[in-house]
Amino acid sequence: MKRWRTLAVLLCGVTTLFAQTDNVAREDTLEGVTVMSRSAQRRLSEVQVGVERIDLGTISKAPALLGERDIIRSLQLLPGVKNESEASSGYQVRGGTSAQNLILLDGATIYNAGHLMGLLSTFNDNALNNAALYKGLVPANFGGATSSVFDVSTRVGDMNRYHLNASVGLLSANVAAEGPIQKEKSSFFFAGRRSYLDLFLKASKDYKDNVLNFYDANLQLTFRLSPRDRLALTFFRARDNMGLDEMMDMKWSNTTANASWLHNASNRLYAHTQLTYSDFSDDVGIEMMNIYYTMKGYIRHLTFHHDQTWMPSKKLTLRYGLESTYLQLQSAEWDINMLHQREKRDGWSNALWLSQEWALSERLNLSAGLRLRLHTVLGGAPYYEMDADGNITNTTNPEKWHAVKTYSNLEPRLSANIKLSDRHSLKVGYSRSTQDIHAIRAGSMSMPFDRYTMTSNLLKPEVADQVAMGWTGITRQSDYDFSAEAYYKWVRNIYDYRDGKSFYSEIEIERLLLGGKGRAYGLELCAHKNSGRLTGWASYTLSWSENKIEGINNGEWYTASNDRRHDISIIGIYKANAHWELSAIWHYNTGQALTAPSAKYEIDGRTFYYYAERNGYRAPASHRLDLGASYTKKRQHATHVWSFGIYNAYNRYNPFVITFENDDDKPSGTSAKLIAMFGIVPSVSFTMKF
């Protein structure tokens, strides 16, 4: 533990890892090619309910941990979006877990999009073009997630001029370059980032044999084949390496490759064809008592996607398409013994969809769609039959490509914008979505070595239905805009660990799980200030998330591990003059729900804990203030930017992990220990743009 704390000190540049003991309170007491603008008019006229268009320019001005701009951490400041923990790039949307979010980079699926155990996101902001977050109510061309879809695209290189952007911060250095390969016909864009924590480790006698680094790289080649045809080739690679002497070794990576062809048949009809490959892999090894234990897992997608957009009139747009994905998954299980094979699952998912956007009148815009999703469970590995207690009663070994079982789901999508006046609109929507990749976690926080499984003969696809209604209003000059949105979501076929089972149980993952249903509902309020020297926004979310699974918590509804009642974010950006810009963020959220022992007892000198209910307790609330300042100097051939920041300005120790230990002075015989990841963290970075 001491060594890990020292690594954290090196990581932050200051002493930021603290531990303190605290009591845990009872729960009951306590959506292209161009950059999209988050303008007030766009928020007013947006047909889709629950969509957030991400303004990358605004994100670049906000204070950042260790000076690293992070689009996913910025998502966590939006209404309806919560961070998993103080030091995690994972996010939860409208009562879902981060595993129920679909993250797409140029159409390729990204899993566990975090560096350094989630401290930073996988995405280099310099490489991004635009991004949109759909909070559960998604257009029909998206599928595969029950909580949200985060659609991100890589920047397209300039076909006429060369540009270079380089920056150095406390944690990493990154560079971005773009320009023409052949002027007006082809271009390239490259962005690369690497940490240099290795230098600190190698300079230390005690830790020179440890490893702690990450890198990511984005590459896009764009070719204008004809006035009507454009081809884009995109590659992305991100990898983390962490090692503690010869005791532990952890590696995880995301790799994607994409070929995308856009064809404009006419001014009213264009087609988009895409072939995408993505691979998420993790590899963990630990040495204990001279025995080396390993855990390896992967998720691989090979996807063909084709869609067409037809605009028969100015008021009507039709979109239709198909998608086919071959999936491979290996569950990350500890290789502690050879009594069973690591669980492997193959699947084939296919989808057809049709959607329309129709301006029925000046007052009513409608978006409606229907998606048919088929998922076929494929052979090539053992499949089981089990009794109610999770014991295997029969095993079969179907041949590879044999169709073990096929699930079909029809997913309707509907959103409407009713314009009440020139400055007020009402939005309503309904959406159904399904998911076939399930992440099973012991707690509320995602890790690179989470155990994943796929829909099988035993595990059914997760199905979520959501209804939402919202209001948006703007002032006469669009200086301010306000929104309020309420939602209710109900989910079928969610999975959780059986009582007494956990991530570390040495049996097939399907034997560890029980399935049931969930529900989530809440209210999201947001206000933007859009003009003047001072701009920003404030958001508040009130939400509930609950599960009900027979065999867990006596079959009664229980609080989900990601349930948090209140979430508040206040963001301010002040332009002092032509050179200086100041920013501040204050964030507050209710503590995570957790399962804590209610009592303990001893048998033959061994201590056993008794748990009265699932997630019946809460961690303390988290809150912090982040401050930032940037100085920009434009010169003849380059722009220099100095960025300064203070993360957690008033040094609040927010809970990262809570553990339980014996304490005979407590009535329960147990006390809770809170471990905080960060105290106050200053940062500085320098950027040059050519």
Side-chain angles (χ1 to χ4, degrees):
M1 185 66 182
K2 181 180 178 181
R3 294 185 177 184
W4 282 112
R5 292 189 177 185
T6 304
L7 292 179
V9 172
L10 294 173
L11 172 65
C12 300
V14 293
T15 305
T16 58
L17 186 62
F18 297 90
Q20 61 185 41
T21 302
D22 198 352
N23 292 326
V24 181
R26 286 280 307 182
E27 177 194 348
D28 47 13
T29 60
L30 309 167
E31 183 169 326
V33 179
T34 58
V35 177
M36 299 295 185
S37 171
R38 285 179 54 88
S39 68
Q41 285 293 337
R42 184 171 183 86
R43 286 188 285 269
L44 181 70
S45 60
E46 181 74 60
V47 180
Q48 194 70 40
V49 184
V51 62
E52 295 282 353
R53 307 286 180 179
I54 311 304
D55 187 342
L56 301 179
T58 300
I59 289 174
S60 66
K61 300 173 184 178
L65 175 61
L66 297 169
E68 298 286 333
R69 305 300 178 188
D70 193 326
I71 190 171
I72 291 187
R73 283 191 175 274
S74 299
L75 287 184
Q76 298 168 357
L77 302 174
L78 299 174
V81 184
K82 304 172 187 290
N83 64 326
E84 287 185 316
S85 72
E86 176 71 12
S88 173
S89 61
Y91 60 95
Q92 302 162 345
V93 180
R94 291 188 170 179
T97 68
S98 63
Q100 294 169 318
N101 300 323
L102 175 63
I103 301 177
L104 297 173
L105 178 63
D106 299 312
T109 305
I110 303 294
Y111 288 92
N112 248 300
H115 286 307
L116 301 176
M117 305 292 286
L119 184 63
L120 301 173
S121 84
T122 297
F123 298 121
N124 182 347
D125 281 13
N126 288 330
L128 306 183
N129 180 32
N130 59 36
L133 176 70
Y134 300 90
K135 297 184 287 188
L137 288 85
V138 300
N141 55 301
F142 292 113
T146 56
S147 187
S148 76
V149 175
F150 185 41
D151 187 28
V152 187
S153 64
T154 304
R155 285 179 56 183
V156 177
D158 192 325
M159 290 190 178
N160 295 293
R161 299 180 60 187
Y162 294 98
H163 304 275
L164 179 64
N165 184 334
S167 65
V168 177
L170 291 178
L171 186 62
S172 68
N174 69 71
V175 62
E178 63 177 304
I181 300 174
Q182 185 178 4
K183 279 196 173 184
E184 298 184 353
K185 291 186 177 181
S186 58
S187 68
F188 74 92
F189 174 83
F190 171 79
R193 177 174 57 163
R194 194 192 190 281
S195 66
Y196 35 69
L197 297 171
D198 312 61
L199 302 179
F200 294 100
L201 296 177
K202 292 185 181 301
S204 169
K205 180 180 178 180
D206 294 331
Y207 303 100
K208 60 184 178 64
D209 294 326
N210 296 329
V211 178
L212 187 62
N213 63 65
F214 70 83
Y215 69 84
D216 52 61
N218 299 76
L219 175 65
Q220 182 166 116
L221 305 177
T222 306
F223 304 90
R224 186 175 291 162
L225 304 179
S226 74
R228 294 185 178 274
D229 295 273
R230 179 172 294 196
L231 174 68
L233 304 177
T234 307
F235 174 80
F236 171 72
R237 169 75 169 174
R239 183 176 175 86
D240 279 73
N241 301 284
M242 300 179 69
L244 185 59
D245 289 340
E246 298 180 356
M247 296 175 56
M248 177 179 291
D249 184 35
M250 295 187 293
K251 303 173 184 177
W252 63 95
S253 64
N254 273 287
T255 305
T256 72
N258 177 291
S260 179
W261 174 36
L262 182 64
H263 172 67
N264 289 327
S266 68
N267 293 333
R268 293 188 175 185
L269 176 65
Y270 68 86
H272 180 216
T273 304
Q274 196 169 41
L275 183 64
T276 301
Y277 172 79
S278 67
D279 173 274
F280 170 74
S281 301
D282 58 73
D283 184 351
V284 180
I286 296 178
E287 183 176 343
M288 293 185 296
M289 301 178 66
N290 296 322
I291 301 176
Y292 193 72
Y293 303 108
T294 62
M295 179 175 64
K296 297 181 179 181
Y298 58 76
I299 309 174
R300 297 167 183 159
H301 295 238
L302 181 60
T303 301
F304 173 80
H305 173 105
H306 178 79
D307 68 77
Q308 295 186 7
T309 301
W310 178 38
M311 295 168 282
S313 70
K314 293 182 179 181
K315 293 185 177 182
L316 178 63
T317 300
L318 297 175
R319 191 170 185 178
Y320 44 89
L322 59 87
E323 187 174 88
S324 183
T325 302
Y326 173 55
L327 296 162
Q328 289 184 313
L329 182 148
Q330 176 176 287
S331 178
E333 304 172 15
W334 285 111
D335 188 12
I336 297 177
N337 56 57
M338 302 302 293
L339 298 179
H340 70 279
Q341 182 183 7
R342 285 189 175 93
E343 183 179 78
K344 295 182 179 180
R345 292 288 178 257
D346 288 5
W348 186 24
S349 292
N350 295 277
L352 297 170
W353 68 85
L354 171 66
S355 65
Q356 67 171 16
E357 289 191 14
W358 193 4
L360 293 172
S361 68
E362 292 184 358
R363 297 291 186 183
L364 178 60
N365 289 310
L366 181 68
S367 173
L370 189 64
R371 183 181 181 93
L372 173 63
R373 181 175 172 89
L374 302 171
H375 181 82
T376 301
V377 180
L378 298 177
Y383 285 84
Y384 319 108
E385 294 177 9
M386 295 191 305
D387 60 23
D389 296 322
N391 300 310
I392 296 176
T393 59
N394 186 40
T395 301
T396 60
N397 287 275
E399 294 181 356
K400 193 175 182 64
W401 295 105
H402 174 77
V404 176
K405 191 170 185 177
T406 297
Y407 298 88
S408 62
N409 287 280
L410 202 57
E411 305 174 12
R413 316 280 174 84
L414 178 66
S415 287
N417 183 315
I418 305 167
K419 197 172 182 180
L420 304 177
S421 70
D422 291 339
R423 294 187 282 118
H424 300 272
S425 67
L426 181 67
K427 302 176 186 181
V428 295
Y430 162 77
S431 178
R432 170 175 290 176
S433 55
T434 61
Q435 182 169 334
D436 291 297
I437 302 293
H438 314 281
I440 314 302
R441 294 166 178 163
S444 60
M445 191 170 67
S446 59
M447 302 294 281
F449 41 86
D450 285 328
R451 293 188 71 172
Y452 288 87
T453 189
M454 192 188 302
T455 294
S456 67
N457 60 319
L458 297 173
L459 303 181
K460 299 178 181 180
E462 189 175 295
V463 183
D465 294 86
Q466 183 181 158
V467 292
M469 176 179 289
W471 162 83
T472 302
I474 63 175
T475 58
R476 188 176 300 275
Q477 301 300 324
S478 300
D479 294 333
Y480 298 87
D481 68 85
F482 308 90
S483 65
E485 193 162 306
Y487 67 90
Y488 189 95
K489 178 169 66 175
W490 58 102
V491 191
R492 290 175 282 142
N493 305 324
I494 62 169
Y495 295 94
D496 204 346
Y497 284 111
R498 296 172 181 264
D499 284 339
K501 302 297 182 181
S502 72
F503 176 91
Y504 302 101
S505 300
E506 301 171 36
I507 59 175
E508 294 79 3
I509 190 171
E510 290 167 321
R511 298 177 60 191
L512 304 177
L513 308 177
L514 288 173
K517 59 185 178 180
R519 63 189 180 192
Y521 46 96
L523 174 67
E524 302 166 3
L525 306 176
C526 192
H528 290 85
K529 186 179 186 301
N530 305 305
S531 61
R533 288 195 172 188
L534 177 64
T535 59
W537 73 92
S539 66
Y540 168 70
T541 304
L542 173 66
S543 61
W544 290 260
S545 181
E546 300 172 309
N547 296 335
K548 185 177 182 179
I549 301 176
E550 291 298 327
I552 298 177
N553 204 55
N554 298 316
E556 300 294 330
W557 285 100
Y558 63 91
T559 302
S561 60
N562 56 297
D563 175 272
R564 291 207 299 261
R565 194 69 64 242
H566 307 284
D567 192 276
I568 304 171
S569 295
I570 302 174
I571 298 90
I573 301 170
Y574 180 74
K575 189 171 181 60
N577 53 45
H579 300 293
W580 283 100
E581 198 159 56
L582 311 178
S583 58
I585 296 173
W586 185 75
H587 185 73
Y588 170 92
N589 58 256
T590 301
Q592 295 275 17
L594 54 88
T595 301
S598 302
K600 70 173 183 178
Y601 54 94
E602 292 187 2
I603 300 179
D604 296 331
R606 296 178 61 188
T607 300
F608 296 86
Y609 291 102
Y610 170 72
Y611 299 88
E613 57 182 315
R614 184 73 62 97
N615 296 331
Y617 295 78
R618 281 201 184 273
S622 297
H623 54 86
R624 71 172 195 271
L625 173 67
D626 303 336
L627 303 175
S630 66
Y631 176 81
T632 303
K633 182 69 174 179
K634 295 183 179 181
R635 301 183 183 275
Q636 184 176 1
H637 300 293
T639 299
H640 296 176
V641 181
W642 283 96
S643 298
F644 308 91
I646 301 177
Y647 182 90
N648 196 6
Y650 52 76
N651 204 33
R652 162 76 177 183
Y653 297 136
N654 291 309
F656 176 64
V657 175
I658 292 178
T659 61
F660 300 93
E661 56 187 28
N662 291 331
D663 189 342
D664 294 331
D665 295 330
K666 299 285 185 180
S668 64
T670 305
S671 65
K673 184 178 181 180
L674 182 152
I675 298 177
M677 188 66 176
F678 293 108
I680 184 171
V681 184
S683 65
V684 60
S685 65
F686 176 67
T687 303
M688 290 190 300
K689 302 177 183 180
F690 299 93

